Amino acid sequence: MRSVSGLHSPGDMMKSPLMAPRRPDDPESTERNAPSVEAAFQAAPEEMVAEILDGELHLSPRPARPHAKATSLLGTLLTMPFWLGRGGPGGWIILDEPELHLGPRPDKLVPDIAGWRRERLPDAVGGEDAPAHYDLAPDWACEVLSERTRRRDKGPKMRIYAREGVRHLWHVDPLARTLDIFRLQGSDWLLVHSFSGEERVRAEPFEAIELELALLWSE
């Protein structure tokens, strides 16, 4: 395990402006998104990905092809063994681009992929009146990095995931062909592993199977 700016090994848990610690629980907090921000979020064009992070609206175009391909392939590789239990232990719900509403504002995030342990989310669909979004923080999230989203994925989204107690986070960079594995330790993200190229890896929390990275970058 090694340390990078704001992301720490067990012996080096210093704070940094980039990787702010989780804020303590504040049951009295009534801070909400501005009505104009919520209205703009609701009016966002369907071809854009809309998110509200720390009260600010962010609009992103749909992912470019390398991003979309890596997301689709990774979701496929994980869904069979961990959701369907085919060739793996099962026990997870894994969804592509779920809309998450987290915290009192709420922050509204769309990870590329997210996973919940089945005991925490036994029914991914819910009843007829279930909203389209999820307000239960996932156990694992994955962001596929691009030049347009890198600062957001590594800044406010990481802070929000930490605040909400998401235990595991992956960053996939399809152009650099890297996979970074983070674990939440206390209030900081710990960089557990950094994989690259065509390695065959076991990456938490899905270390029950070997993941062949070359499949994510294949043409």
Side-chain angles (χ1 to χ4, degrees):
M1 290 178 287
R2 62 188 180 91
S3 139
V4 296
S5 177
L7 308 163
H8 315 291
S9 66
D12 180 20
M13 296 298 290
M14 299 170 61
K15 303 294 186 290
S16 85
L18 172 63
M19 214 39 263
R22 281 185 293 169
R23 294 195 290 265
D25 292 335
D26 181 8
E28 303 301 322
S29 176
T30 58
E31 188 174 24
R32 304 287 292 180
N33 296 320
S36 59
V37 172
E38 288 285 359
F41 176 86
Q42 296 297 331
E46 291 186 3
E47 66 271 18
M48 305 293 284
V49 178
E51 298 180 295
I52 301 177
L53 309 175
D54 297 328
E56 295 185 7
L57 177 67
H58 298 266
L59 296 177
S60 303
R62 300 302 305 173
R65 291 184 181 186
H67 183 138
K69 179 172 68 71
T71 302
S72 297
L73 289 171
L74 181 58
T76 298
L77 293 172
L78 295 177
T79 294
M80 291 299 290
F82 291 101
W83 188 351
L84 302 180
R86 303 292 178 87
W92 285 78
I93 300 291
I94 297 175
L95 301 176
D96 292 344
E97 295 190 339
E99 184 178 309
L100 308 177
H101 291 195
L102 305 176
R105 283 184 180 273
D107 291 296
K108 300 184 178 183
L109 300 81
V110 182
D112 288 294
I113 318 176
W116 292 258
R117 295 188 186 275
R118 191 176 287 273
E119 61 266 25
R120 295 185 60 238
L121 187 69
D123 185 354
V125 177
E128 293 182 0
D129 297 330
H133 68 268
Y134 294 83
D135 54 17
L136 178 67
D139 295 283
W140 165 80
C142 176
E143 300 290 355
V144 179
L145 306 180
S146 69
E147 289 306 310
R148 289 188 294 251
T149 66
R150 184 180 305 274
R151 288 184 59 84
R152 193 180 315 154
D153 291 338
K154 287 181 169 289
K157 293 183 80 168
M158 287 189 83
R159 289 193 292 269
I160 293 166
Y161 289 141
R163 184 196 71 205
E164 297 300 317
V166 176
R167 303 306 303 176
H168 304 277
L169 177 64
W170 291 11
H171 280 171
V172 176
D173 189 328
L175 297 183
R177 298 190 172 190
T178 59
L179 168 63
D180 289 336
I181 308 297
F182 301 98
R183 180 198 309 148
L184 190 63
Q185 182 159 313
S187 59
D188 294 277
W189 286 111
L190 181 72
L191 179 62
V192 180
H193 292 292
S194 186
F195 301 114
S196 62
E198 299 184 356
E199 293 183 71
R200 301 175 71 94
V201 306
R202 292 185 182 271
E204 63 178 57
F206 302 117
E207 60 266 51
I209 68 164
E210 190 174 66
L211 183 64
E212 189 175 348
L213 290 188
L215 297 176
L216 299 183
W217 330 127
S218 61
E219 297 298 331

